[in-house]
Amino acid sequence: MDNRCLLFFLKNPEKGRVKTRLASAVGDEMAVRLYRRFLLETLFTLNRGTFLFYLCFYPENSLSDLKRWLGEDYLYMPQSGENLGERMKNGFVEAFSMNFKRVVLIGSDIPDLPLEFIEEAFTSLQEKDAVIGPSFDGGYYLIGFKDKNFSVRVFEEIPWSTKRVFEETMKVLKQEGLTVHALKPLRDIDTVEDLRIRELRKKGG
């Protein structure tokens, strides 16, 4: 049996609750439409993979909305916790309690995340204790652990939503004595400028 599991962290695409920085420039309606598109693009990538994955949704009461939109065929898992760090920590704890040996978590801000990066992350966990994919804004778009080396400290007292998230996370990983594989940096789609750069790249500009 495959011992790999991916946790896809996403929010229910409700107006006023997703892509708020984008929404301030393009409006709530367009921000929701873009976020829905990002989710579908990421799901298209994940459906091509050979690993099991869960749609880890937030808020906890949005399951029926998501099932109406995406259908019953996916595996759903509610995010639980007071903040992003707690929710990610609890996601890993839940996955490891189901006897998965290598668990990778991604967010929903990088619709162009290549399947090869995810495969590289899982492969790296055969040798390394942890894997991380830094984003250009100072955060990270992917993090993963081998079951025996998972540390909850990686998600505690991190200044979430700042440019220091990746740097502070790396500090904790080092303090915990974990070996880490770093993926290539990628760009989150959080602002109009990020969108513009993405469109230029797609056109080869």
Side-chain angles (χ1 to χ4, degrees), residues 54-77:
Y54 283 83
L55 305 190
C56 301
F57 60 90
Y58 183 83
E60 291 182 73
N61 62 0
S62 57
L63 179 59
S64 55
D65 286 348
L66 287 165
K67 281 189 172 179
R68 266 196 302 274
W69 177 39
L70 298 172
E72 301 275 349
D73 293 339
Y74 290 108
L75 297 169
Y76 292 90
M77 179 192 295

Side-chain angles (χ1 to χ4, degrees), residues 192-205:
V192 170
E193 178 67 7
D194 296 330
L195 260 185
R196 189 183 68 79
I197 291 169
R198 183 192 189 213
E199 293 307 316
L200 278 173
R201 198 187 306 120
K202 281 189 163 185
K203 290 173 186 171

Side-chain angles (χ1 to χ4, degrees), residues 3-7 85 88-93 95-97 99-106 118 120-133 140 142-156 158 160 168-170 172-174 176-181 183:
N3 63 18
R4 301 173 299 164
C5 173
L6 181 133
L7 306 175
M88 289 197 289
K89 176 189 75 177
N90 291 337
F92 276 102
V93 169
F96 287 130
S97 75
N99 292 320
F100 291 107
K101 305 299 182 192
R102 290 175 287 161
V103 179
V104 164
L105 182 152
I106 64 169
I118 298 172
E120 180 184 334
F122 278 122
T123 300
S124 74
L125 290 174
Q126 291 175 332
E127 304 290 333
K128 303 283 189 179
D129 302 324
V131 60
I132 193 165
Y140 56 80
L142 177 151
I143 192 164
F145 294 91
K146 199 184 290 183
D147 61 338
K148 293 181 179 128
N149 305 96
F150 174 63
S151 169
V152 297
R153 279 202 58 227
V154 175
F155 301 105
E156 295 171 354
I158 299 293
W160 303 110
E168 295 297 323
T169 301
M170 287 299 291
V172 178
L173 288 165
K174 191 174 179 182
E176 293 291 279
L178 302 181
T179 57
V180 184
H181 176 72
L183 300 169

